[in-house]
Amino acid sequence: MESMLGVENKRPFHVVTPVLQSMALSQAAGTKVYMKLENVQPSGSFKIRGIGYFCQQVARDGCQHLVCSSGGNAGLAAAYVAHKLGIPITVVVPRSTSQLTVKRLEEQSAEVEVFGQAWDEANERAMALAEADGWINVHPFDHPLVWKGHATLVQELRDSLDAKPGAIVLAVGGGGLLSGVVSGLQEVGWLDVPIVAVETRGADSFNQAIKAGHLVTLPEITSVAKCLGAKTVAQRALDCAREWPIISWVLDDVEAVKAIERFLDDERMLVEAACGAPLAFLYSGYFRQLQEEGHLSRPLDSVVLVVCGGTGIKMEILQAMKSQLGMV
């Protein structure tokens, strides 16, 4: 155990991901678009940054068992890290979770419990297990240590780019990535870089909260982008919208799924529908629209797209989404 905790606790579990220009996305947006390729992280998404950092800290404090509620990427990140640390973990997943994800969780030696229809119910179960058994609950997006881990993404951008970007485009589900990117921008002194936070209709709890001026709980998640499926965003995400230039944008599932296919053709990478949302924002001309309406500066030297990734996708799942949306 000393070798596990001694070695694994001294280095981050995430890798420094590439920053590459996309010619196709640049052409669509009318400016240089750099892709921050979080889809090549060891667990398949950006989640390993914040969750890896959180798990490291609690492991140092003597954590004996982890529990995490997740329908996908957060659970996979937590299971990957727990396996590396040699700490047992229980991942509570909602019934909407694919068998592909369950299989991958089990491959990381996680105990998987299926509970509830949506993530919110699985999260209540995870919190109950943590309280009853003295386990440490790994929240998928709502914890300062998670945000601190995600902030490393911006530190890498500072080291990779010649100049600060004119905007950052990313997906927002529960708000963990958004909160971390805002923290990172503050840390590196990029205090005037706006963020475009993209959701799909039917999973747009962030947009609804901004419109209402307070947190809003969606009655259900109807979008195919299940990894955006937090019925209520973190309070910190809404606070960020009040202290940072953030543009909230909502688009349709069909646009997100079309963007997945186009991205696969353009960049030879297959990503989840949650990642397809910010891709669609650029492919569909909405970036240019915001510039024409004066919400974003014109011209902008460059834009960074966070390719958040996701492992809950394969061609069979993509075809099923297209069929569900009447696209085939």
Side-chain angles (χ1 to χ4, degrees), residues 270-281:
L270 182 62
V271 295
E272 285 183 348
C275 189
L279 285 168
F281 173 79

Side-chain angles (χ1 to χ4, degrees), residues 9-10 28-29 75 130 153 197 228 247 281:
N9 248 346
K10 291 178 181 176
L153 186 153
L228 297 182
I247 299 169
F281 173 79

Side-chain angles (χ1 to χ4, degrees), residues 65-303:
H65 197 119
L66 295 163
V67 60
C68 180
S69 57
S70 170
N73 295 308
L76 287 163
Y80 174 89
V81 173
H83 185 63
K84 288 286 189 180
L85 289 170
I87 298 174
I89 184 169
T90 300
V91 181
V92 186
V93 301
R95 293 189 182 92
S96 58
T97 304
S98 70
Q99 285 304 305
L100 173 65
T101 297
V102 172
K103 179 184 175 184
R104 287 178 172 162
L105 287 167
E106 291 174 341
E107 287 172 350
Q108 293 291 346
S109 303
E111 179 184 343
V112 180
E113 177 178 335
V114 180
F115 188 91
Q117 295 295 333
W119 168 79
D120 304 70
E121 295 167 46
N123 186 50
E124 290 178 8
R125 172 62 176 164
M127 289 190 294
L129 286 171
E131 185 174 353
D133 297 322
W135 298 348
I136 298 296
N137 183 35
V138 185
H139 198 288
F141 57 83
D142 195 2
H143 195 282
L145 291 177
V146 172
W147 309 329
K148 185 173 182 179
H150 292 336
T152 57
L153 186 153
V154 183
Q155 295 158 11
E156 291 174 20
L157 287 176
R158 175 198 57 194
D159 296 338
S160 300
L161 298 173
D162 294 331
K164 66 182 178 183
I168 295 177
V169 180
L170 50 77
V172 58
L177 176 61
L178 175 67
S179 301
V181 167
V182 168
S183 295
L185 289 170
Q186 291 169 334
E187 288 173 13
V188 304
W190 288 353
L191 303 181
D192 57 350
V193 176
I195 298 171
V196 181
V198 189
E199 297 169 286
T200 49
R201 201 160 278 109
D204 52 341
S205 53
F206 180 62
N207 184 265
Q208 295 291 333
I210 288 178
K211 287 179 177 177
H214 55 79
L215 294 182
V216 171
T217 299
L218 302 178
E220 61 180 330
I221 301 298
T222 57
S223 170
V224 299
K226 299 302 181 186
C227 282
L228 297 182
K231 291 195 285 187
T232 313
V233 295
Q235 179 63 49
R236 175 60 189 150
L238 186 56
D239 294 342
C240 285
R242 293 168 176 153
E243 65 189 51
W244 201 265
I246 294 175
I247 299 169
S248 172
W249 194 271
V250 180
L251 44 77
D252 292 330
D253 277 347
V254 169
E255 294 175 286
V257 173
K258 283 181 179 177
I260 294 173
E261 290 193 295
R262 187 167 172 185
F263 190 64
L264 179 59
D265 286 342
D266 290 341
E267 307 296 342
R268 304 166 306 285
M269 290 183 283
L270 182 62
V271 295
E272 285 183 348
C275 189
L279 285 168
F281 173 79
L282 294 171
Y283 276 137
S284 300
Y286 297 130
F287 180 82
R288 292 176 185 257
Q289 180 181 329
L290 284 179
Q291 286 185 304
E292 291 167 1
E293 294 173 354
H295 299 298
L296 286 173
S297 300
R298 191 176 195 178
L300 288 178
D301 180 59
S302 68
V303 176

